[in-house]
Amino acid sequence: MGPDAEAKTYQKIKYRVFALDLFLGLAFPALIQFSGLSHGWSAFAVSISEKKWLQVLAYQTLFFHAIFLLSLPLGYYSSFVLEHRFRLSRHTLSSWVGDKFKGYLLSLAFYLAVLECFYGLIHFYLRAWWILAGLGWFLVTVAIARIFPVWVIPLFYRTQPLKDAVLEKSMGILCEKCGLRGVRAYEIALSMKTKKANAALVGIGKSRRILLGDTLLRSFSTPEIETVVAHEIGHHVRRHILKSLGLNFMFSLGGFWLLFFFSGSVVGFFGGQGLEDLSIFPALLFLAACGGILLLPWQNAISRHYENEADRFALTLYPSLETFSSLLEKLGRQNLSDPDP
């Protein structure tokens, strides 16, 4: 199988896995809702305490683990089996399990904290909860963007300042030129787990930094690396991160308002006693998943627009079409991207 055919086969399987993941995101909540499991878990949560926060903790712990275990086989296939099949992964089974366990702990803590706040707002602010929930989710996304590069990424990948003094200096000059004062470039050890090359400008405020995969640094020329970084800086110059945060706020606020507006119909249809009724939580998650799927085409269009703007910005700084073309071809080959999607 030639490299182009292999890339097409790999991406075709990835698309199928993505479609299956979307389907399961709808099927699992529906299964839990209509099988009676949710009502049983809700009754158990109510039986152990009269305090609402303990009921939420008990129910959502059960729900989280059910979804986690149901989704684990597909996650194992897509992130371990498939990547090894196409010789893209350097993960050992033990390292994959270790990362999965760390992700599980972080996700569980985050999930429970968010749901406790959600039900607390509904309980204490019956008419205005949707506004506060939208604002709260916006603040959460901002906080995540700020702490992610400093606290989360190092849990999974070793990062360190660039060893190449010449490249580090050129990165500093480029950042200064584009108004990114004080931003440093770091090497991230992707090669511990993957053969794919990548780079990113992450964080906001003082946590903003450029991450360059060691797989990129080893396989690409300095002009190509500089072009990659220019593309990432383009996202900053065009304010894509801020725009994405703003859009996320609009989507979440709109979703919470729709749930508030139609809450009576939703609760009545699923036989609940109100939005605080834990037994109808899978139904709420199902509706949220439906909304997310409906928004996907628009979100993808926005993403493509942002990437196009970042490419054009990179070409204004480094107008060599030969370098840009070589960069894209090498990235495509190394990451098994579909050359003709």
Side-chain angles (χ1 to χ4, degrees):
M1 183 184 295
D4 288 355
E6 185 178 36
K8 278 191 168 294
T9 301
Y10 172 71
Q11 291 298 333
K12 185 181 295 184
I13 297 173
K14 294 284 284 187
Y15 291 140
R16 290 172 179 170
V17 169
F18 175 70
L20 180 57
D21 187 54
L22 289 180
F23 170 75
L24 294 178
L26 297 174
F28 288 161
L31 173 66
I32 294 172
Q33 182 69 60
F34 293 109
S35 67
L37 279 173
S38 184
H39 285 83
W41 294 343
S42 177
F44 167 74
V46 171
S47 71
I48 65 173
S49 176
E50 294 182 355
K51 295 182 179 180
K52 187 64 181 181
W53 73 271
L54 284 175
Q55 295 173 10
V56 172
L57 180 65
Y59 176 93
Q60 294 299 345
T61 298
L62 290 170
F63 186 89
F64 177 89
H65 285 95
I67 294 295
F68 177 81
L69 292 174
L70 286 170
S71 61
L72 191 58
L74 183 62
Y76 171 70
Y77 173 78
S78 63
S79 63
F80 188 82
V81 175
L82 183 62
E83 297 298 297
H84 276 279
R85 173 182 168 184
F86 286 88
R87 303 175 303 281
L88 292 171
S89 178
R90 291 194 173 100
H91 253 310
T92 63
L93 182 59
S94 60
S95 69
W96 183 87
V97 170
D99 278 359
K100 199 69 177 177
F101 182 68
K102 286 184 283 188
Y104 155 79
L105 293 177
L106 289 173
S107 299
L108 177 61
F110 177 76
Y111 175 85
L112 292 177
V114 167
L115 267 297
E116 288 284 2
C117 291
F118 175 72
Y119 280 101
L121 290 175
I122 293 176
H123 181 75
F124 291 108
Y125 302 95
L126 187 61
R127 306 297 299 177
W129 69 263
W130 63 275
I131 300 175
L132 297 174
L135 291 171
W137 184 247
F138 172 73
L139 294 175
V140 167
T141 56
V142 171
I144 291 173
R146 189 172 180 86
I147 68 173
F148 187 78
V150 179
W151 297 103
V152 179
I153 291 179
L155 292 176
F156 298 89
Y157 295 97
R158 186 180 69 250
T159 60
Q160 59 184 354
L162 282 180
K163 298 177 182 178
D164 188 329
V166 176
L167 183 60
E168 183 180 25
K169 183 178 179 180
S170 69
M171 295 296 98
I173 294 172
L174 178 59
C175 288
E176 288 283 337
K177 183 179 179 180
C178 298
L180 283 171
R181 293 176 177 82
V183 174
R184 295 192 63 184
Y186 289 79
E187 177 182 330
I188 179 170
L190 296 182
S191 62
M192 297 169 58
K193 300 169 185 179
T194 183
K195 296 179 182 178
K196 293 181 178 180
N198 208 345
L201 174 65
V202 296
I204 56 176
K206 294 182 179 180
S207 71
R208 186 181 284 122
R209 59 185 59 185
I210 297 168
L211 298 179
L212 300 171
D214 57 353
T215 48
L216 181 81
L217 295 172
R218 295 171 186 174
S219 305
F220 291 75
S221 66
T222 297
E224 290 168 342
I225 295 171
E226 290 173 340
T227 302
V228 168
V229 174
H231 169 96
E232 297 302 327
I233 290 177
H235 287 302
H236 162 77
V237 173
R238 302 301 183 195
R239 301 186 183 279
H240 293 160
I241 296 176
L242 294 178
K243 290 176 182 178
S244 295
L245 290 172
L247 287 172
N248 181 275
F249 171 63
M250 291 172 56
F251 290 148
S252 60
L253 187 64
F256 287 131
W257 177 81
L258 286 172
L259 178 58
F260 169 76
F261 188 78
F262 292 105
S263 58
S265 300
V266 172
V267 170
F269 182 82
F270 291 103
Q273 303 299 314
L275 283 180
E276 284 189 80
D277 189 341
L278 291 166
S279 68
I280 66 168
F281 175 75
L284 303 184
L285 191 63
F286 176 86
L287 294 174
C290 289
I293 291 174
L294 291 175
L295 287 173
L296 266 179
W298 196 51
Q299 291 174 326
N300 288 338
I302 293 173
S303 176
R304 287 194 297 270
H305 174 67
Y306 285 172
E307 293 303 319
N308 185 269
E309 282 192 334
D311 282 343
R312 291 179 180 275
F313 178 82
L315 283 169
T316 62
L317 293 179
Y318 298 99
S320 171
L321 295 178
E322 182 179 354
T323 298
F324 193 78
S325 176
S326 171
L327 165 65
L328 294 180
E329 289 176 358
K330 289 170 70 173
L331 274 174
R333 287 195 300 270
Q334 189 159 336
N335 296 350
L336 281 188
S337 300
D338 189 344
D340 183 29

